[in-house]
């Protein structure tokens, strides 16, 4: 069994309050030890709880398993090592646990979508631990509250990373319980705030390494490091907008672009991808080429091109420009492994495949890009710029201009504004499409 690091004073005090509180919320920055702490408390109480059935959940089933059952080697499976087994309970994923007071069943459920609340109906849960609670659906969280009402010792645990102050989780859930706690000190609401300095397993060197991936003053620094409920506002990449020189490269001076006497790259890219955002109705069709060096560590946006604005999508013109751009890029840089157009337009994707096949070019590697949370994309690029892992060819003037103009949406905090001024969103989308299918590897590779 792996033993977690000692608790910080704040973690210890929070743990003590959990013993007498029914609703326990651990919020704060990344790497603050919230999962390990909440899992430790949940497991210790499970040992003697009188109820047989309990629940762990997250935005998805996989998230619940990763954050609670595994939890970097300190999860429920580790705590009950030799006394538990994964299985099914009424066709639902679960863990059977042998405790000091008999066998317990811990159901595992996803709760990120409307309708997921149906997955947890029919049972009374003694305790429930929901990770990344503010990413889950309101109906799911409400059902969790309802399904624990008749518990012999009601305990609900939430952990979460901060959102903007007006997020529904704060206004529709926490605000009520905070008010009740203020009216009655014995109400049973327990709140703890933690940052990476509370994580006693991290060395000073590890903390410095994490801090180096963030730019001070950004919304991500305030949320992930300081654990604040920060609102995103104004220009997204302000440092880039003020001076993008540190984020540019020239092929003549960048050592990654050394060529032999035949003009071939000496340093072969690990991967080459192309992103395409389709235009029409005031939008511009944009093409962006991305080179990956040293796995996912050094990224270079090498080329850009576009079609002029048109009121409708001109399939023939788009296919013609695609073939021209593809041939040019492949001749200059090497085999293009994937082409990722906007997945929303299956008709245009099929047209590109047909055009590529007729031109004798690879066509099976043309597929709609995978989608992810729009709010996650700026954070990834901020990390890449701050660590020097992503640079743009100086000649990509339109993409450079677009990234410098990108603003936060004042009505939807955390995502870029979609006014598309100067077609900045068209270029931003094409750039994102080059990376979305591999974004988890890019985020993990922070050497």
């Amino acid at each position: 069994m792996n033993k977690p690091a000692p608790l910080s004073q704040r973690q210890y005090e929070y743990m003590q309050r959990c013993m007498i509180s029914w609703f326990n919320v651990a919020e704060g920055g990344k790497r603050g030890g919230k999962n390990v702490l909440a899992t430790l408390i949940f497991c210790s109480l499970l040992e003697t709880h009188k109820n047989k059935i309990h629940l762990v959940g997250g935005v998805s089933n996989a998230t619940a398993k990763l954050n609670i059952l595994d939890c970097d080697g300190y999860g429920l499976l580790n705590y009950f090592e030799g006394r538990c087994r994964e299985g099914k309970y009424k066709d639902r994923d679960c863990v059977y646990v042998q405790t000091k007071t008999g066998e317990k069943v811990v159901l595992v459920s996803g709760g990120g979508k409307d309708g997921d609340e149906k997955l947890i109906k029919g049972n009374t849960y003694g305790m429930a631990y929901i990770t990344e609670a503010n990413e889950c659906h309101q109906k799911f969280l409400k059902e969790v509250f309802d399904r624990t009402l008749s518990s012999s010792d009601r305990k609900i645990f939430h952990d979460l990373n901060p959102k903007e102050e007006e997020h529904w989780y704060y206004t529709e859930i926490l605000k009520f319980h905070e008010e009740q706690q203020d009216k009655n000190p014995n109400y049973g609401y327990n709140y703890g705030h933690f940052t990476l300095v509370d994580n006693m397993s991290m060395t000073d060197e590890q903390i410095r390494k994490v801090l180096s991936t963030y730019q001070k003053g950004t919304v991500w620094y305030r949320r992930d490091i300081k654990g604040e409920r920060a609102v995103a506002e104004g220009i997204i990449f302000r440092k880039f907008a003020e001076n993008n020189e540190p984020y540019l490269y020239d092929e003549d001076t960048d050592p990654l672009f050394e060529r032999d006497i035949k003009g071939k790259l000496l340093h072969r890219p690990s991967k080459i991808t192309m992103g395409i955002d389709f235009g029409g109705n005031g939008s511009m069709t944009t093409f962006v080429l991305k080179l990956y060096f040293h796995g996912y560590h050094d990224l270079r946006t090498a080329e850009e091109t576009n079609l002029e604005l048109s009121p409708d999508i001109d399939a023939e013109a788009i296919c013609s420009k695609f073939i021209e751009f593809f041939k040019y890029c492949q001749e200059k840089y090497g085999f293009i492994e994937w082409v990722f157009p906007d997945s929303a337009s299956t008709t245009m994707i099929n047209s590109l495949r047909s055009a590529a096949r007729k031109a004798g070019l690879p066509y099976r590697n043309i597929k709609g890009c995978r989608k992810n949370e729009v709010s996650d994309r700026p954070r990834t690029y901020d990390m890449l710029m701050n660590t020097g892992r992503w640079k743009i060819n100086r000649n990509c003037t339109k993409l450079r201009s677009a990234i410098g103009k990108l603003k936060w949406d004042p009505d939807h905090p955390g995502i870029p504004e979609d006014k598309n001024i100067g077609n900045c969103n068209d270029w931003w989308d094409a750039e994102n499409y080059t990376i979305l299918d591999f974004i988890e590897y890019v985020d993990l590779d922070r050497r």
Side-chain angles (χ1 to χ4, degrees):
M1 174 180 172
N2 298 322
K3 293 185 178 180
L7 301 180
S8 70
Q9 185 63 32
R10 278 191 295 193
Q11 289 175 330
Y12 177 75
E13 291 172 356
Y14 174 81
M15 184 177 188
Q16 292 297 104
R17 294 195 301 271
C18 284
M19 302 300 113
I20 57 173
S21 303
W22 71 269
F23 184 28
N24 304 278
V25 177
E27 182 181 19
K30 298 286 181 69
R31 305 294 296 275
K34 302 184 295 295
N35 288 130
V36 174
L37 176 63
T39 302
L40 175 64
I41 298 169
F42 180 87
C43 291
S44 62
L45 293 173
L46 190 64
E47 287 277 19
T48 56
H49 204 286
K50 294 180 180 179
N51 285 71
K52 179 179 180 180
I53 303 175
H54 304 266
L55 175 71
V56 296
V59 68
S60 67
N61 186 289
T63 299
K65 289 183 176 181
L66 184 65
N67 288 2
I68 303 175
L69 301 192
D70 294 336
C71 195
D72 291 329
Y74 298 98
L76 183 145
L77 297 179
N78 173 69
Y79 187 97
F80 292 105
E81 183 180 13
R83 295 190 285 152
C84 65
R85 61 181 176 86
E86 294 185 70
K88 296 283 186 180
Y89 180 83
K90 296 182 179 179
D91 294 325
R92 303 295 183 196
D93 287 350
C94 76
V95 180
Y96 290 93
V97 180
Q98 300 301 323
T99 70
K100 297 176 181 177
T101 53
E103 184 178 74
K104 308 291 171 61
V105 179
V106 180
L107 294 181
V108 184
S109 179
K113 302 189 298 295
D114 188 2
D116 281 348
E117 71 278 2
K118 298 174 184 177
L119 300 175
I120 61 173
K121 289 182 179 290
N123 296 309
T124 291
Y125 302 105
M127 297 190 298
Y129 172 16
I130 310 302
T131 184
E132 299 179 357
N134 54 357
E135 301 285 355
C136 293
H137 198 278
Q138 292 105 310
K139 291 181 181 178
F140 180 81
L141 296 184
K142 182 180 183 302
E143 191 67 25
V144 171
F145 281 112
D146 292 345
R147 289 287 152 187
T148 56
L149 283 173
S150 59
S151 168
S152 63
D153 183 14
R154 191 185 189 198
K155 298 284 184 184
I156 295 176
F157 301 92
H158 285 183
D159 73 57
L160 57 139
N161 296 317
K163 297 284 189 180
E164 64 279 1
E165 291 180 348
E166 298 305 313
H167 190 271
W168 63 263
Y169 180 82
Y170 303 126
T171 59
E172 297 180 25
I173 295 182
L174 290 198
K175 183 180 179 181
F176 171 78
H177 298 291
E178 289 168 351
E179 292 173 347
Q180 297 302 108
Q181 186 67 29
D182 288 340
K183 293 177 183 177
N184 176 15
N186 297 319
Y187 174 72
Y189 171 66
N190 172 31
Y191 176 84
H193 184 271
F194 309 101
T195 67
L196 77 173
V197 298
D198 291 294
N199 189 340
M200 306 303 285
S201 70
M202 295 186 69
T203 65
D204 290 346
E205 177 60 30
Q206 288 173 319
I207 292 176
R208 281 192 292 269
K209 191 172 183 180
V210 171
L211 291 175
S212 71
T213 67
Y214 288 85
Q215 177 188 328
K216 286 187 177 181
T218 62
V219 62
W220 304 287
Y221 182 85
R222 293 179 61 193
R223 287 181 184 175
D224 294 355
I225 301 302
K226 300 179 73 174
E228 297 177 356
R229 299 173 187 177
V231 177
E233 56 187 20
I235 296 292
I236 295 178
F237 303 109
R238 183 162 296 281
K239 284 184 69 176
F240 185 93
E242 293 172 350
N243 176 25
N244 56 55
E245 192 65 30
Y247 312 104
L248 308 181
Y249 78 88
D250 297 281
E251 287 197 10
D252 294 338
T253 57
D254 191 324
L256 291 176
F257 290 87
E258 290 183 74
R259 295 180 180 270
D260 60 23
I261 57 175
K262 294 183 179 180
K264 300 296 183 183
L265 289 175
L266 291 174
H267 304 282
R268 190 175 182 86
S270 309
K271 191 190 307 292
I272 303 178
T273 64
M274 183 185 296
I276 305 173
D277 186 52
F278 298 122
N281 194 28
S283 293
M284 179 184 290
T285 296
T286 52
F287 303 78
V288 171
L289 189 81
K290 170 81 87 288
L291 309 182
Y292 294 72
F293 293 94
H294 309 123
Y296 299 92
H297 186 63
D298 291 307
L299 281 61
R300 299 289 186 269
T301 296
E303 299 287 343
E304 67 174 21
T305 194
N306 65 277
L307 285 176
E308 294 306 317
L309 292 176
S310 62
D312 301 304
I313 292 180
D314 187 336
E316 185 176 346
I318 291 174
C319 290
S320 177
K321 175 61 76 171
F322 165 66
I323 296 300
E324 175 190 330
F325 188 57
F326 187 97
K327 286 182 176 179
Y328 168 78
C329 292
Q330 185 149 283
E331 173 64 25
K332 185 174 181 180
Y333 299 106
F335 178 71
I336 299 173
E337 188 169 347
W338 290 104
V339 176
F340 296 116
D342 184 352
S343 60
S345 183
T346 55
T347 300
M348 268 309 310
I349 293 173
N350 290 332
S351 295
L352 290 181
R353 288 172 178 161
S354 178
R357 185 169 61 249
K358 290 178 181 178
L361 300 176
Y363 62 91
R364 292 189 176 90
N365 63 345
I366 302 173
K367 75 181 191 77
C369 69
R370 191 183 70 184
K371 296 294 187 180
N372 75 332
E373 287 292 332
V374 175
S375 59
D376 289 342
R377 301 175 190 180
R379 182 185 179 281
T380 295
Y381 274 88
D382 181 76
M383 179 272 293
L384 288 172
M385 284 191 277
N386 198 46
T387 55
R389 289 176 46 204
W390 172 59
K391 294 190 176 183
I392 306 175
N393 190 328
R394 185 182 301 278
N395 296 327
C396 294
T397 55
K398 295 177 180 178
L399 178 61
R400 290 165 53 191
S401 175
I403 292 173
K405 293 176 182 176
L406 207 63
K407 294 182 178 180
W408 294 112
D409 189 331
D411 298 321
H412 301 88
I415 68 174
E417 189 177 55
D418 197 23
K419 290 184 178 178
N420 206 15
I421 298 173
N423 299 103
C424 63
N425 294 84
D426 299 330
W427 288 107
W428 172 243
D429 287 343
E431 167 63 37
N432 276 272
Y433 296 160
T434 65
I435 202 174
L436 290 187
D437 275 53
F438 314 107
I439 200 163
E440 66 269 27
Y441 304 111
V442 172
D443 282 340
L444 285 173
D445 190 1
R446 300 186 179 207
R447 293 179 295 175

